[in-house]
Amino acid sequence: AQKVTQAQTEISVVEKEDVTLDCVYETRDTTYYLFWYKQPPSGELVFLIRRNSFDEQNEISGRYSWNFQKSTSSFNFTITASQVVDSAVYFCALSEATGTASKLTFGTGTRLQVTL
Amino acid sequence: NAGVTQTPKFRVLKTGQSMTLLCAQDMNHEYMYWYRQDPGMGLRLIHYSVGEGTTAKGEVPDGYNVSRLKKQNFLLGLESAAPSQTSVYFCASSPNLAGRYEQYFGPGTRLTVT
C-alpha cells in the first residue's frame, strides 16, 4: 500500500526566511509519480510540480525548489526567501503508474504560516 | 474555459436527508474523482471514474454513490446524510492515467450535516 508522510504539521517563519517542507513516501512500485499541491486560505488546490520516479534531477522554479531522493524516499520542497503569500497548506501526493486508474495518495499536509 | 466546477459551494443538511453534488469539467478529461478533506487527514478518495458510464470505489466509499452518465459530469450522492459526512468535498479530473498527469481540482463544496 502507498503511504505519504508529512511529519511537519505546522511551520511558522518570518518573511524572507527559507523553509523546507518534508515529504517521505512508501511504495512497492518501481514506477510512480510524486506531486506537490498548494492550498491557500481560499481553499482551492493548486498544482505545483510533478516528478516521475526515473527523474531524480532537482527542480527549481523561481523561489521554489524540490529535492527528490529515491535512496531516502523523500521529495522535499524548499521555499527561498518566503513571502506572506506563501502562507498555505502544502500537500505532497504519490501516484502509482500501474493499473487502469492511478489514484493519488495524499499526505496530511503541512500548514505554512509566513509572518512579517 | 472554466476548468472544473462544483455545485453547490456550501450546503447544510439534516441527518437522514439526501443530496447530490455536481461536478463538471470542460477539458474533455477521461478520468474524474471525488475526494473528501477532513482536518488533519489530507484528501481521501471516495470514488472515481475512468470514463463515461464507469465508476469505481476509492478509499472511503461507504455512504456515497456516484454516476457518470456524461463524460463531462460526475455526480456524488449522499442517500442518507450522517454527521460523519461533514467535510469539504473536492472533485478532480485528469486527461488519462493520473500518474502521468496532474489532477485538476474544483473549488470544493463545504457540507455540514447536523
Side-chain angles (χ1 to χ4, degrees):
Chain A
Q2 299 181 126
K3 185 178 180 182
V4 176
T5 301
Q6 295 180 256
Q8 304 152 308
T9 304
E10 191 161 345
I11 301 175
S12 293
V13 299
V14 176
E15 202 176 42
K16 297 181 184 171
E17 285 185 7
D18 298 347
V19 58
T20 296
L21 283 61
D22 298 332
C23 173
V24 175
Y25 62 91
E26 295 177 28
T27 180
R28 294 179 184 173
D29 293 337
T30 55
T31 301
Y32 51 89
Y33 298 83
L34 295 161
F35 301 80
W36 276 93
Y37 282 86
K38 173 183 180 180
Q39 187 175 42
S42 53
E44 74 272 22
L45 282 149
V46 179
F47 165 76
L48 295 177
I49 190 171
R50 176 184 67 251
R51 174 68 69 217
N52 71 55
S53 54
F54 296 121
D55 183 0
E56 288 196 67
Q57 284 187 335
N58 290 335
E59 175 103 5
I60 298 175
S61 176
R63 296 184 297 106
Y64 294 172
S65 62
W66 291 268
N67 183 359
F68 175 33
Q69 291 194 335
K70 288 181 73 172
S71 61
T72 56
S73 297
S74 65
F75 187 41
N76 297 336
F77 173 31
T78 297
I79 301 175
T80 302
S82 59
Q83 299 177 1
V84 172
V85 293
D86 295 327
S87 297
V89 180
Y90 291 86
F91 290 98
C92 180
L94 168 69
S95 177
E96 61 190 16
T98 56
T100 56
S102 296
K103 296 156 281 186
L104 283 178
T105 299
F106 282 84
T108 52
T110 297
R111 181 178 300 277
L112 174 65
Q113 186 72 37
V114 182
T115 56
L116 293 172
Chain B
N1 189 338
V4 180
T5 58
Q6 293 181 230
T7 309
K9 288 186 170 53
F10 303 94
R11 186 72 185 268
V12 178
L13 287 179
K14 293 185 178 179
T15 297
Q17 287 184 321
S18 63
M19 77 163 293
T20 300
L21 281 66
L22 170 64
C23 175
Q25 53 96 2
D26 62 2
M27 297 174 283
N28 202 36
H29 286 170
E30 289 294 330
Y31 287 58
M32 297 187 75
Y33 313 80
W34 275 108
Y35 293 88
R36 60 177 289 172
Q37 182 180 20
D38 301 296
M41 300 191 73
L43 278 78
R44 293 180 293 167
L45 183 66
I46 304 172
H47 286 281
Y48 64 98
S49 168
V50 302
E52 183 178 316
T54 73
T55 62
K57 294 180 180 180
E59 182 185 353
V60 289
D62 294 341
Y64 304 95
N65 56 75
V66 288
S67 64
R68 183 107 181 262
L69 298 180
K70 293 182 179 181
K71 185 178 183 179
Q72 63 268 33
N73 295 337
F74 194 29
L75 278 62
L76 178 71
L78 287 72
E79 291 185 349
S80 180
S84 61
Q85 294 177 306
T86 293
S87 187
V88 180
Y89 292 86
F90 285 97
C91 176
S93 70
S94 65
N96 205 314
L97 291 176
R100 297 197 183 97
Y101 299 94
E102 64 271 23
Q103 292 184 13
Y104 295 78
F105 284 84
T109 295
R110 185 173 294 275
L111 174 65
T112 301
V113 183
T114 60

